[in-house]
Amino acid sequence: MSSETFAPEADARLRAEAAEIISRYPQARSALLPMLHLVQSEDGFVSPRGITLCADILGLTRAEVSAVATFYSQYKRHPNGEYTVGVCTNALCAVMGGDIIFEKVSEHLGVGHDETTVDGKITLEQVECNAACDYAPVVMVNWEFFDNQTPASTIALVDQITAGEPVQPTRGASTVGTFKEISHVLAGFEDGRADEGVGAGDATLLGLRLARENDWQAPGARRGRREDADGGPAGDTAAAGEGA
C-alpha cells in the first residue's frame, strides 16, 4: 500500500473534521463509515492515504479499514468522475426502460459500468433499486433523482454535465453537487441544500391522499377508534395487546 500522506494543511483539516465526526458516537470506531466519506471527499475515492489516515485516527489496521471500504458500493477504490450517473436497472426500472437507457448512454459515452469518461466528468453505473419505483425509470446523478427518464432525456442530461452546465434534479436539491461535495455531505457536514426543492412528488403521495379521502385506516387503528367510542380500551393499548 502506498506510503503517500496528505499535505500538512489537508491532514490537519481532515483530522479536525474526523474529530467532529467521532464526537457523535459513543465508540470512536463507529465513526468509520462517515470518515470514509470524508477522505473520499478529499481525493475523489477512498485512496491508500485515506485508508491510512482512518486507521491511524481510529487505532485500526489498514486491513480492517479496507475490509469496510470494499464492502459498500458508495466507497470507490479508484478515482471516480466528477459526477456519478447511476441508471437503475432493477426489476421495475428495467421493465420500464432502464436497461435500454443504460445501453444507449453507455454507447453514447463510450464507457461501461463503473468506468469513467476520458475527461473525468462522468462515472457510469448500473445501480440496484433507487427506492423510487413510482417514478421508473429513474437515473441518479450523485444520488439526486432524475425521474421518468428516457434514453433521449438521459443522453441530454449527460451532455449537459459534459458541457459543464448545471443540471436540476426532479426532486430534492435545486442543483447537483460534485462527487466530492456530496461525499462531504455524506460524512455529515451540511451543504445548505437540505430544504431545497420538492421532497415527495405526487406519485409518492397518491396512496396517502386516497387513504385520507376514503377514510381508510389500518385494522388496528379502526378497532382502537371503535373501542374508544364505546368506552373500551384506548386504541394504542388494544392494538398493542392484540399484537402481543
Side-chain angles (χ1 to χ4, degrees), residues 12 36 57 88 101-103 119 144 148 150 153-155 165 189 192 200 215 242:
L36 288 170
I57 292 172
C88 182
I101 290 174
F102 181 84
E103 178 184 329
D119 61 3
E144 296 289 358
N148 299 317
T150 66
S153 67
T154 309
I155 287 173
E165 300 172 5
F189 299 95
D215 194 28
E242 183 180 35

Side-chain angles (χ1 to χ4, degrees), residues 6 29 63 74 92 96 136 152 160 178 184-185 210 222:
F6 291 100
R29 65 183 298 159
Q74 280 189 321
L92 186 57
M96 298 295 288
Q160 281 184 268
T178 66
H184 198 250
V185 173
L210 290 173
R222 283 189 177 278

Side-chain angles (χ1 to χ4, degrees), residues 95-189:
V95 169
M96 298 295 288
D99 284 338
I100 298 172
I101 290 174
F102 181 84
E103 178 184 329
K104 295 297 184 183
V105 173
S106 175
E107 181 182 311
H108 181 72
L109 293 176
V111 295
H113 170 69
D114 198 29
E115 294 180 352
T116 302
T117 54
V118 292
D119 61 3
K121 278 285 187 180
I122 294 174
T123 295
L124 182 64
E125 289 185 341
Q126 281 181 292
V127 296
E128 293 300 314
C129 186
N130 282 324
C133 303
D134 40 357
Y135 290 100
V138 171
V139 171
M140 297 194 88
V141 179
N142 290 346
W143 302 291
E144 296 289 358
F145 287 111
F146 289 79
D147 302 320
N148 299 317
Q149 292 295 294
T150 66
S153 67
T154 309
I155 287 173
L157 172 64
V158 298
D159 282 348
Q160 281 184 268
I161 294 171
T162 300
E165 300 172 5
V167 293
Q168 184 170 9
T170 310
R171 292 172 286 137
S174 298
T175 55
V176 178
T178 66
F179 181 77
K180 288 183 178 181
E181 289 170 342
I182 298 304
S183 292
H184 198 250
V185 173
L186 293 173
F189 299 95

Side-chain angles (χ1 to χ4, degrees), residues 55-110:
D56 180 56
I57 292 172
L58 296 175
L60 301 172
T61 66
R62 292 183 298 185
E64 288 173 317
V65 176
S66 293
V68 175
T70 55
F71 187 83
Y72 299 100
S73 62
Q74 280 189 321
Y75 300 129
K76 310 302 181 183
R77 296 311 308 274
H78 52 81
N80 199 77
E82 191 175 354
Y83 294 88
T84 295
V85 175
V87 181
C88 182
T89 55
N90 207 337
L92 186 57
C93 278
V95 169
M96 298 295 288
D99 284 338
I100 298 172
I101 290 174
F102 181 84
E103 178 184 329
K104 295 297 184 183
V105 173
S106 175
E107 181 182 311
H108 181 72
L109 293 176

Side-chain angles (χ1 to χ4, degrees), residues 134-135 200-218:
D134 40 357
Y135 290 100
D202 291 340
T204 305
L205 298 174
L206 179 59
L208 178 62
R209 179 174 62 79
L210 290 173
R212 287 175 173 171
E213 289 175 355
N214 292 279
D215 194 28
W216 293 337
Q217 300 284 333

